[in-house]
Amino acid sequence: MWRNIEERVIACAEYIVETGCTVRACANYVGSSKSTVHKDVTERLASIDAALWEKVQSVLEVNLQERHLRGGAATKRKYLGEKEESEGK
């Protein structure tokens, strides 16, 4: 468990900025829920470190713009995998 909420918020924010990962990936990395990480980096971070908050917001904006592409790629992988399985039978 995190002793200090501010430490968790800063750790999440720095990880997102360094890797450009999604909120879900960051949540897996720090061991928190997706909702907690989202609240940390969108609300709590603004009052802790405004400059870092702006960097995180730019990464989150890119992720938001690309999410439909990631979803389409995941669907394609899913159905290609199912096709390969049915051909193997």
Side-chain angles (χ1 to χ4, degrees), residues 15-85:
Y15 184 72
I16 289 174
V17 170
E18 289 171 9
T19 63
C21 69
T22 61
V23 170
R24 187 173 300 229
C26 181
N28 287 335
Y29 177 76
V30 297
S32 295
S33 73
K34 180 179 58 139
S35 300
T36 300
V37 172
H38 188 267
K39 186 169 181 81
D40 285 349
V41 298
T42 58
E43 296 177 18
R44 294 182 180 124
L45 183 60
S47 63
I48 296 171
D49 188 344
L52 185 56
W53 179 82
E54 288 180 16
K55 291 177 186 177
V56 170
Q57 293 308 304
S58 65
V59 172
L60 294 180
E61 182 64 31
V62 169
N63 289 341
L64 181 65
Q65 292 173 357
E66 293 176 350
R67 76 175 169 189
H68 69 284
L69 299 173
R70 285 193 203 110
T75 302
K76 181 178 180 179
R77 284 191 308 272
K78 173 185 174 186
Y79 287 109
L80 284 177
E82 288 179 4
K83 181 179 178 184
E84 291 172 2
E85 288 177 9

